[in-house]
Amino acid sequence: MCRLILAKGRFSSSAILDAAIMMSSGQTADHEGPTQQHPNGWGAVWRDPGGGLSIHRDPRRINDTADESPIRGVETDLLAVHVRHATLARNQGLQCTHPLARPGAKGPWYLLHNGFLPTVHQRLGKERSEFDSAEYLEYLVPENAHTLDIDAALSKLRAIPPGGTSANAILMNAEWAYVIHWTPQEVPYRRYFSMHQLALEDCTIYASEIIPALAPRERWAPLPQRHIVPIKLNAHGRGLS
């Protein structure tokens, strides 16, 4: 299981990185779930000034390696960070570190996922699951797609066979970012799989947990369940809508 955060607008990349560290180490945990620590790697996606995307992936714990990364010095208007607790011990290492990538019509798609979807492979016609998050990305994003059809995506989410936890995710390409908040009604640890939104004057933040270091608790609002938030990006790395 994992923690997610996305910031868009004007913000400090260092502050968002610190927020991810707090979530990873359990400092901001306010949920009923058993997972407090997220030591199995971390990654980030951000927008370059020209409108392209850059990524960073590290299979080590973010608490130990954040300052080795370029994130603190990044100037960007869109940054997403993922910290990971591997559900299955076999799915560790750089190849399983998010963001996961899939080719698209206008450049790669990147996925940062929080949850466990061991049955999604059935929707792909595969005999068994090898790595659920990679199968989720393949299932969610059609081959060579350049946008996500939200109605079709919601239908796909409803069609995932029972047996998993959450499809919460951040999905991005160079033109769009999508915040996905989708958890079945019957899942345990519902607060662990919640998502929250912070609307500030110059930026909006979406996160798996309320992070008081970014703003007081009362400024945060719950993100609606079974909902996808689309974020349109312009071509020049400025002026998100």
Side-chain angles (χ1 to χ4, degrees):
M1 306 304 169
C2 309
R3 305 282 82 182
L4 307 170
I5 186 167
L6 180 146
K8 68 181 184 74
R10 299 182 62 182
F11 55 86
S12 163
S13 294
S14 187
I16 300 304
L17 183 63
D18 286 337
I21 293 170
M22 292 175 195
M23 290 193 292
S24 177
S25 58
Q27 296 178 50
T28 55
D30 181 20
H31 55 74
E32 77 285 46
T35 303
Q36 301 284 327
Q37 303 290 319
H38 301 77
N40 302 126
W42 71 284
V45 187
W46 65 94
R47 285 237 290 169
D48 300 321
L53 296 178
S54 292
I55 68 168
H56 175 80
R57 294 187 296 166
D58 194 316
R60 301 170 295 173
R61 193 172 72 140
I62 190 175
N63 306 57
D64 301 328
T65 61
D67 290 340
E68 299 177 20
S69 78
I71 308 302
R72 292 204 186 278
V74 164
E75 294 186 6
T76 184
D77 58 1
L78 184 74
L79 170 65
V81 182
H82 176 277
V83 295
R84 186 164 186 257
H85 179 284
T87 304
L88 301 179
R90 73 170 189 263
N91 289 334
Q92 296 189 42
L94 189 61
Q95 72 277 9
C96 295
T97 302
H98 300 218
L100 305 178
R102 176 169 170 78
K106 296 185 178 181
W109 288 88
Y110 294 107
L111 178 77
L112 305 93
H113 173 216
N114 170 31
F116 182 48
L117 299 175
T119 63
V120 74
H121 72 282
Q122 298 174 24
R123 302 297 302 172
L124 296 170
K126 297 185 177 183
E127 183 176 347
R128 64 178 62 87
S129 175
E130 298 295 337
F131 181 29
D132 65 292
S133 293
E135 291 148 5
Y136 175 33
L137 176 56
E138 182 181 352
Y139 175 63
L140 189 64
V141 178
E143 187 175 8
N144 294 321
H146 67 277
T147 61
L148 185 70
D149 183 321
I150 290 179
D151 289 338
L154 291 171
S155 294
K156 286 185 172 184
L157 292 171
R158 289 192 291 268
I160 296 174
T165 56
S166 177
N168 287 355
I170 295 166
L171 179 68
M172 295 172 58
N173 67 13
E175 294 187 349
W176 288 91
Y178 301 89
V179 179
I180 300 169
H181 188 201
W182 182 275
T183 302
Q185 290 281 5
E186 65 277 9
V187 74
Y189 315 129
R190 292 194 63 79
R191 288 208 314 276
Y192 181 82
F193 293 111
S194 59
M195 292 285 287
H196 309 271
Q197 178 179 344
L198 172 64
L200 300 174
E201 182 177 352
D202 292 332
C203 75
T204 302
I205 296 170
Y206 302 90
S208 298
E209 296 175 4
I210 292 172
I211 304 156
L214 296 178
R217 179 171 294 272
E218 59 269 20
R219 296 289 303 275
W220 293 79
L223 201 64
Q225 257 286 7
R226 288 169 292 285
H227 183 67
I228 298 177
V229 179
I231 302 168
K232 181 71 172 71
L233 317 180
N234 70 23
H236 303 294
R238 292 292 181 267
L240 301 174
S241 59

